[in-house]
């Protein structure tokens, strides 16, 4: 198994995400990012949780939208990210989408959005902190 640290780098201006293992570039993804009125926060984050088939809580109404519902914004995978300024309760993450044509645009409430197959693949790559292992770091700039 690779021993190098895996990091995720999101480049908001280009709407691209790079996956790196140590200093080695592994893969690139197109992403959707926050709308001007709900921008994606910048900085260094860590992955705190990751799941397949997530439910989504609408931030405007507080209503839980279950996986499979066509109005669920998270698609097939969710990875919650946080830092000291933006705790997990702020609700930012990397996720899939119900609307694939939005990837590559400024479309979200601040999250980073991927095509569903890429979100599921990324979910398999990233790690949360456990048993002394480090969580994957996510750099957003």
């Amino acid at each position: 198994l690779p021993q190098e640290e895996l990091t995720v780098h999101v480049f908001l201006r280009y709407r691209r995400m790079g996956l790196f293992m140590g200093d080695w570039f592994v893969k690139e993804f197109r992403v959707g990012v926050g709308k001007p009125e709900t921008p994606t926060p910048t900085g260094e984050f860590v992955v705190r949780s990751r799941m397949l088939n997530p439910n989504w809580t609408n931030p405007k109404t507080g209503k839980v939208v279950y996986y499979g519902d066509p109005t669920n914004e998270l698609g097939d995978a969710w990875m919650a990210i946080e830092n000291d300024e933006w705790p997990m309760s702020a609700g930012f993450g990397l996720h899939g989408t119900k609307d694939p044509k939005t990837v590559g645009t400024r479309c979200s409430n601040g999250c980073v959005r991927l095509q569903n197959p890429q979100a599921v693949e990324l979910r398999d790559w990233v790690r949360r902190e456990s048993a002394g292992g480090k969580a994957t770091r996510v750099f957003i700039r």
Side-chain angles (χ1 to χ4, degrees):
L1 292 174
Q3 299 299 311
E4 289 84 13
E5 177 185 22
L6 177 76
T7 57
V8 174
H9 296 260
V10 178
F11 305 97
L12 297 174
R13 178 178 179 188
Y14 301 106
R15 297 182 191 103
R16 299 277 187 210
M17 172 189 293
L19 196 60
F20 292 82
M21 177 105 24
D23 293 331
W24 293 85
F25 171 74
V26 176
K27 193 160 190 172
E28 180 181 63
F29 302 99
R30 276 183 61 225
V31 296
V33 299
K35 298 178 276 198
E37 60 273 16
T38 55
T40 301
T42 59
E44 180 179 340
F45 298 80
V46 292
V47 173
R48 284 292 177 230
S49 70
R50 60 191 189 108
M51 66 180 62
L52 293 174
N53 308 329
N55 297 328
W56 173 61
T57 302
N58 184 316
K60 293 178 183 169
T61 65
K63 178 185 172 204
V64 175
V65 181
Y66 294 97
Y67 176 75
D69 184 310
T71 63
N72 181 322
E73 294 285 336
L74 301 184
D76 294 339
W78 163 256
M79 293 141 281
I81 59 172
E82 73 169 359
N83 64 17
D84 290 340
E85 184 179 356
W86 300 100
M88 202 162 80
S89 61
F92 291 109
L94 316 172
H95 65 81
T97 180
K98 67 179 180 76
D99 193 2
K101 70 180 178 289
T102 63
V103 173
T105 69
R106 298 185 80 186
C107 55
S108 76
N109 289 318
C111 290
V112 177
R113 186 179 288 190
L114 300 104
Q115 300 284 342
N116 280 323
Q118 287 79 26
V120 170
E121 178 183 359
L122 183 66
R123 184 253 175 218
D124 290 341
W125 279 89
V126 302
R127 299 288 172 253
R128 59 185 180 80
E129 187 174 34
S130 65
K134 287 185 174 183
T136 300
R137 293 185 301 156
V138 178
F139 300 90
I140 303 176
R141 48 184 162 220

